Amino acid sequence: KAGVTQTPRYLIKTRGQQVTLSCSPISGHRSVSWYQQTPGQGLQFLFEYFSETQRNKGNFPGRFSGRQFSNSRSEMNVSTLELGDSALYLCASSLKMDTEAFFGQGTRLTVV
Amino acid sequence: QKEVEQDPGPLSVPEGAIVSLNCTYSNSAFQYFMWYRQYSRKGPELLMYTYSSGNKEDGRFTAQVDKSSKYISLFIRDSQPSDSATYLCAMTLNTGFQKLVFGTGTRLLVSP
């Protein structure tokens, strides 16, 4: 079956711009979580959605936001981009909130 | 100080060696412990997960959790060049796979 699909795979944005990343979970999965991966900080939890509701949120500024649609697809948005937002953004989906999380390939965002 | 500490490596071993990867953590409330493998330009892949203390074996992989010492390990027997990747430990306070806290990862290189 198809895995977690993240689009786009690569993005280059300018400081101050905003960006939207997309995640399509595995068919039937209702939980989607987002992580930021950087060389210095590693993988850090951003937020988790289940049935269109945000269930958990990490320690990131309000510039980072997300949502989940009725078909479980999820988007995350970063506004007023900063150089430090350059990272690999990973999405993971689970059947339920307490089952194994499967990661996508990620979106590599570069802010210049 | 990070909640989860992991030696970044790289750890270089010859093919066939037994590999030991470790993480220490500071929060005694962590309940679920996982090991992920991440190849370059790919998303993390779940290898093993355990609940509370104890050992779990799956093929060439053995995961150990010592909650009294706040220390977890992953052993890889008969290591193969295809095991060359970054290994990430992760843990969570809640049931299952919500809001994972990751180590920064150990890069493993297995030479033929």
Side-chain angles (χ1 to χ4, degrees), chain A residues 9-10 35 37 40-43 45 48 56-57 88 90 97-101 103-105, chain B residues 2 36 38 41-46 49 88 94-104:
Chain A
R9 290 292 311 279
Y10 302 92
Y35 291 83
Q37 186 174 29
Q41 298 297 318
L43 268 151
F45 173 80
E48 177 176 15
N56 280 297
K57 190 177 190 306
L88 180 66
L90 290 158
M97 291 174 74
D98 60 350
T99 54
E100 180 183 350
F103 281 84
Q105 305 281 49
Chain B
K2 291 182 182 294
Y36 284 83
Q38 186 174 25
R41 300 184 184 280
K42 301 286 187 182
E45 171 195 9
L46 181 66
Y49 71 92
L88 300 148
N94 306 311
T95 55
F97 298 83
Q98 302 173 48
K99 198 173 180 177
L100 299 175
V101 180
F102 281 87
T104 50

Side-chain angles (χ1 to χ4, degrees), chain A residues 8 17 29 38 42-43 49 66 79 99 104 111:
Chain A
Q17 287 187 313
H29 284 198
T38 60
L43 268 151
Y49 289 86
S79 62
T99 54
V111 182

Side-chain angles (χ1 to χ4, degrees), chain A residues 1-5 24-29 93 102:
Chain A
K1 61 182 177 182
V4 179
T5 304
S24 293
I26 293 170
S27 178
H29 284 198
S93 80
F102 295 87

Side-chain angles (χ1 to χ4, degrees), chain A:
Chain A
K1 61 182 177 182
V4 179
T5 304
Q6 291 189 245
T7 56
R9 290 292 311 279
Y10 302 92
L11 265 179
I12 299 177
K13 290 286 188 179
T14 305
R15 265 185 310 174
Q17 287 187 313
Q18 76 165 18
V19 67
T20 299
L21 312 181
S22 180
C23 172
S24 293
I26 293 170
S27 178
H29 284 198
R30 297 171 62 192
S31 174
V32 173
S33 51
W34 289 87
Y35 291 83
Q36 180 197 65
Q37 186 174 29
T38 60
Q41 298 297 318
L43 268 151
Q44 292 184 285
F45 173 80
L46 280 158
F47 24 65
E48 177 176 15
Y49 289 86
F50 182 80
S51 293
E52 302 178 66
T53 302
Q54 188 179 89
R55 303 289 178 163
N56 280 297
K57 190 177 190 306
N59 295 324
F60 278 81
R63 300 185 297 107
F64 292 82
S65 63
R67 59 178 175 170
Q68 186 180 32
F69 302 96
S70 58
N71 62 358
S72 294
R73 190 178 71 84
S74 178
E75 289 181 346
M76 69 162 280
N77 183 276
V78 188
S79 62
T80 320
L81 284 165
E82 301 177 359
L83 295 178
D85 296 333
S86 295
L88 180 66
Y89 290 88
L90 290 158
C91 166
S93 80
S94 306
L95 188 62
K96 300 181 292 182
M97 291 174 74
D98 60 350
T99 54
E100 180 183 350
F102 295 87
F103 281 84
Q105 305 281 49
T107 294
R108 183 161 301 278
L109 171 66
T110 302
V111 182
V112 297

